[in-house]
Amino acid sequence: MSSSFVYASVRTPFGRFNGALADTRADDLAATALKGLLDHSPGLDPGLVDDVFWGNANGAGEDNRNVGRMAVLLAGMPVSVTATTVNRLCGSSLDAAMMAARMIEAGDAEIAIAGGVESMTRAPWVLPKPSRRFPAGDVTAVSTTLGWRLVNERMPAEWTASLGECNEQLREKFSISRERQDEFGARSHRLAAEAWAKGFYDDLVVPVPGADLAQDESIRPGTSLEALAKLKPAFRPDGTITAGNCSPLNDGASAVLLGSASAAATIGRDPVARIAGRGWAALEPQQFGYAPVEAAGDALERAGITWDDIGAVELNEAFAVQSIACVDAWLKLGLRDAEVVNAKGGAIAIGHPLGASGGRILGTLAARLVESGKRWGVAAICIGVGQGLAVVLENVA
């Protein structure tokens, strides 16, 4: 089998819930990222893209009807370009990139695009259909923004606990203090603000038409431990998880251009990273925050390297507690330095629009490898209902 490579990546700035991107539809966000990616590779004829894989976690509103295909059409690509939409919740766009890479490696494609989108602001309320035509009682509208909804009664209660409660359980299991979580959250904001100030994200982020947003909206440069310590627990009265040490609700999109080695001439640029290994794992649903440990281990094994070789890690920060648990485990497995994890900030500051985050961390990882000259990196993400994904990149720039 041949190898697959990352050639380019972009994303929109990530907006806050009810923030600067609230008036932008999910399919328009997707089209913005897709068009921005193509604009970054002007030598590529869009009609030569063999397939588009697009991640999306909800799909219950304006992102319905195969939002990947909607993005292709709205971005002005030829109608002959095919697209599919992938749903692995928070891992959707990383899963999309893995699928695109497999297609290239199998020889079924030379060039593919992967990406993802989520508008958590515009996710609709849904009503279950009644069992009778005219029910006498009230019907409750359920929000599709985040988490379980319309739960199957046969599911064990411990599996369908809230995301926050699941991570409080993880905190108890690994004895991770509130102070460590707040320190991790403050670090995320500080490093993200520094990365923006130094221009790291300038070439990775494209503006959204009609929106007044130049940078990620959730970043708070002056976040201090003192301020975070004053926040009340969000999920348990005596808990440790707050709005300051977990990712917010966000809107945004990301896109990644992948191709074979021989696609460089068609794309008009050289690749920056090789997809060297992929991993996927599943645990009990309530332990989803720890699943990246298993997934990353499998990805490293498939790449033929160990944690000792890794020079950069992008781990999606759904919660500080699960991020700390993963990093602690990786340090025990041979990762040399915790500071290589999310050195440009993470989702606690940047944001976590569910379907877009996998593409963001993959693109950021490739850019970090190019900037640092390090050879190997890992992108990993936890996924609700007990799953995790990871990709190993090799710097070829």
Side-chain angles (χ1 to χ4, degrees):
M1 295 178 68
S2 61
S3 293
S4 58
F5 297 85
V6 173
Y7 277 82
S9 65
V10 302
R11 64 177 177 89
T12 68
F14 286 176
R16 285 198 305 243
F17 187 82
N18 276 325
L21 300 182
D23 292 331
T24 306
R25 291 171 55 112
D27 49 2
D28 286 327
L29 286 173
T32 295
L34 185 51
K35 187 177 184 303
L37 183 70
L38 294 170
D39 288 345
H40 273 53
S41 299
L44 171 63
D45 177 356
L48 296 179
V49 174
D50 292 301
D51 209 352
V52 174
F53 298 82
W54 209 259
N56 180 239
N58 279 327
E62 296 160 342
D63 47 6
N64 75 87
R65 199 67 177 165
N66 187 358
V67 71
R69 175 63 172 169
M70 297 302 102
V72 165
L73 298 175
L74 290 168
M77 297 182 73
V79 296
S80 58
V81 176
T82 55
T84 189
T85 297
V86 179
N87 185 350
R88 203 191 286 251
L89 300 181
C90 303
S92 296
S93 53
L94 192 61
D95 205 13
M98 294 165 69
M99 292 178 179
R102 291 189 190 103
M103 189 179 196
I104 292 165
E105 292 165 15
D108 289 337
E110 285 291 308
I111 301 168
I113 291 175
V117 66
E118 212 73 54
S119 175
M120 301 178 80
T121 297
R122 299 174 71 90
W125 295 283
V126 297
L127 289 172
K129 286 186 176 180
S131 58
R132 288 177 289 182
R133 284 180 294 175
F134 303 106
D138 296 332
V139 180
T140 301
V142 180
S143 173
T144 64
T145 295
L146 180 70
W148 290 92
R149 77 286 308 240
L150 307 178
V151 178
N152 191 316
E153 293 181 356
R154 297 195 301 111
M155 281 280 189
E158 62 269 23
W159 286 2
T160 62
S162 73
L163 301 177
E165 170 58 26
C166 291
N167 276 273
E168 288 286 7
Q169 295 175 24
L170 198 67
R171 180 262 303 177
E172 291 176 326
K173 179 177 180 179
F174 291 104
S175 300
I176 297 172
S177 68
R178 164 78 181 266
E179 289 73 21
R180 285 192 72 190
Q181 294 176 58
D182 286 348
E183 288 171 358
F184 192 92
R187 173 185 183 268
S188 184
H189 285 279
R190 174 174 56 81
L191 293 178
E194 289 176 359
W196 270 106
K198 293 177 180 178
F200 174 82
Y201 287 114
D202 290 354
D203 291 334
L204 293 176
V205 176
V206 295
V208 176
D212 184 17
L213 184 63
Q215 298 185 2
D216 301 308
E217 196 173 11
S218 296
I219 299 173
R220 294 179 173 82
T223 298
S224 67
L225 290 176
E226 292 74 19
L228 292 178
K230 295 177 182 178
L231 297 177
K232 295 181 179 180
F235 302 101
R236 291 184 182 179
D238 61 345
T240 62
I241 298 173
T242 72
N245 59 36
C246 66
S247 61
L249 305 177
N250 297 94
D251 311 324
S254 63
V256 183
L257 178 62
L258 298 105
S260 65
S262 60
T266 304
I267 294 172
R269 64 191 304 165
D270 293 327
V272 295
R274 180 177 69 91
I275 306 289
R278 293 176 289 266
W280 52 97
L283 306 174
E284 287 187 296
Q286 67 271 30
Q287 297 182 35
F288 74 94
Y290 196 71
V293 175
E294 308 287 339
D298 288 349
L300 288 168
E301 184 176 353
R302 291 188 176 96
I305 60 173
T306 68
W307 277 111
D308 185 62
D309 299 301
I310 296 300
V313 178
E314 283 293 315
L315 170 64
N316 191 60
E317 300 168 353
F319 293 80
V321 64
Q322 59 85 205
S323 300
I324 293 168
C326 290
V327 175
D328 285 352
W330 292 334
L331 289 169
K332 293 177 182 177
L333 292 169
L335 179 66
R336 294 186 181 188
D337 185 1
E339 291 304 309
V340 306
V341 179
N342 299 353
K344 305 297 182 182
I348 290 174
I350 293 169
H352 179 23
L354 307 179
S357 290
R360 178 191 73 80
I361 63 172
L362 190 65
T364 301
L365 179 64
R368 285 183 58 198
L369 291 175
V370 171
E371 180 191 61
S372 67
K374 300 294 185 181
R375 181 177 179 183
W376 300 102
V378 173
I381 195 165
C382 68
I383 303 165
V385 202
Q387 298 191 87
L389 292 177
V391 171
V392 174
L393 290 185
E394 181 185 17
N395 182 3
V396 298

